[in-house]
Amino acid sequence: MPRVLVAEDEAIIRMDLAEMLREAGYDVVAEVGDGRSAVQQARVLKPDLIVMDIKMPELDGISAAQEINAEPVAPIVMLTAFSDKELVERATDAGVMGYVLKPFTIDDLRPALTVAASRWQEQRALQSEVADLGDRLETRKQLDKAKGVLMKRLGLDEAAAFRWLQKTAMDRRLGMREVAEAVLAGTGEESRTPGQPQV
């Protein structure tokens, strides 16, 4: 069951919403009445989904969404009686994944929650892929620099310099990037970090 945090300042609507979600098979892990509590509970409970009203005391839903998405914690579906363009744009800029107008039924809410969860997963996967590509590019740069140092220092050709890095990594049970960084640190091209191996 997806774990949901509900944030709505009107107690009756909050209770109805929580009950509606439970009956639809969601696990409502917390019900709060203001934006500040929504941020705090989101950080502590790490729910799978957050359903939040826009107009709330202490911290409005859009500001709360910005704080929650700074970490990020979970996809947010915003509830509102207002549909003006500026609010929708602010909600989108805050990273909100869905938008449902009041009054609503579970048939209005369920698709929004499903789409929000799906978009969230896609976004997380894309961010992970981008981070992985960035890491691989940085590793490649370090290896190329280290090969250049070894070619100059040991008089090796490029293939032999790569084999040297590969063999050293295997012999010392290190990653190729660690060996490359150690080679560069030994030449002063990169500052050594504590505990970095000498090559």
Side-chain angles (χ1 to χ4, degrees):
M1 291 196 308
R3 299 168 64 252
V4 184
L5 166 65
V6 171
E8 164 64 62
D9 63 322
E10 293 184 42
I12 292 172
I13 295 175
R14 184 169 65 243
M15 287 168 47
D16 286 347
L17 174 58
E19 186 59 30
M20 186 188 298
L21 288 166
R22 286 187 184 102
E23 286 175 3
Y26 293 90
D27 177 16
V28 178
V29 293
E31 300 172 43
V32 298
D34 65 83
R36 179 59 52 212
S37 298
V39 172
Q40 291 165 348
Q41 289 299 304
R43 287 177 177 154
V44 170
L45 298 171
K46 307 275 191 236
D48 300 314
L49 291 157
I50 298 169
V51 179
M52 187 163 25
D53 189 24
I54 282 189
K55 301 287 186 182
M56 287 192 293
E58 292 194 40
L59 193 65
D60 69 71
I62 293 174
S63 300
Q66 285 174 319
E67 286 193 31
I68 290 167
N69 281 324
E71 296 195 17
V73 177
I76 299 169
V77 172
M78 200 65 75
L79 305 175
T80 184
F82 310 96
S83 61
D84 64 86
K85 186 180 175 187
E86 184 189 337
L87 272 180
V88 174
E89 286 175 357
R90 281 186 59 218
T92 302
D93 290 344
V96 170
M97 297 275 170
Y99 200 85
V100 178
L101 288 176
K102 295 177 182 177
F104 56 85
T105 66
I106 192 62
D107 292 330
D108 300 318
L109 192 54
R110 190 186 286 118
L113 293 172
T114 301
V115 168
S118 177
R119 286 181 64 203
W120 177 263
Q121 291 300 329
E122 288 171 6
Q123 193 177 70
R124 298 279 78 73
L126 184 60
Q127 286 173 343
S128 176
E129 190 177 322
V130 167
D132 183 50
L133 286 171
D135 189 53
R136 282 195 274 168
L137 178 62
E138 189 55 37
T139 296
R140 179 63 187 255
K141 286 180 185 176
Q142 297 298 317
L143 287 172
D144 285 346
K145 284 183 191 176
K147 282 191 296 186
V149 168
L150 292 171
M151 289 164 68
K152 195 181 297 181
R153 189 194 298 165
L154 303 177
L156 303 173
D157 63 20
E158 187 176 358
F162 182 78
R163 284 194 301 273
W164 188 96
L165 289 166
Q166 210 172 27
K167 183 175 183 325
T168 303
M170 288 172 59
D171 290 348
R172 298 189 182 196
R173 294 193 172 126
L174 296 170
M176 294 271 291
R177 183 169 173 176
E178 289 176 281
V179 174
E181 287 172 350
V183 167
L184 296 174
T187 65
E189 287 194 34
E190 187 168 295
S191 58
R192 286 184 69 231
T193 55
Q196 197 169 42
Q198 294 275 6
V199 177

